[in-house]
Amino acid sequence: MTERDPTRRLPLRPRVFAILLALAESPFHGYGLMRKLSDTGEGGLLGPGTLYRLLKEMQADGLIVATTAGSGDSDGPPRRYYTLSGFGRRVASAEAERMEKLVLRTREVLVGE
């Protein structure tokens, strides 16, 4: 099996990158992820429909993995938790590197550093 090239997924949409960064910190269920992105301001206004569509796409692309776990409450349904895959981590790192180069170039051109 050949290794997938993470740079082929770039550039990432800002919300996808924000989700990858959040999941790099820890696994989240959907609502927890929506709160995390809202609290940090990284996801913009992200409603449940948009979030779950993105999560489904990211799973299909191999960026994240979903697992089902009990909610902790005997009455509550199991929750799906999302974690960053190894490929997702490599893609996020490649995007951060791409953005860093862009910022350096911007400083050179606009600021004269």
Side-chain angles (χ1 to χ4, degrees), residues 33-54:
L33 184 57
M34 196 173 355
R35 276 197 344 219
K36 168 75 172 174
L37 294 173
S38 175
D39 290 349
T40 61
E42 294 170 352
L45 294 175
L46 189 61
T50 301
L51 175 65
Y52 287 105
R53 179 183 49 80
L54 287 172

Side-chain angles (χ1 to χ4, degrees), residues 21 39 43 45 48 66 75 81:
L21 288 178
D39 290 349
L45 294 175
D75 298 337
Y81 281 81

Side-chain angles (χ1 to χ4, degrees), residues 74-89:
S74 59
D75 298 337
R79 290 187 169 176
R80 182 169 288 184
Y81 281 81
Y82 299 93
T83 58
L84 191 61
S85 70
F87 179 63
R89 184 173 297 279

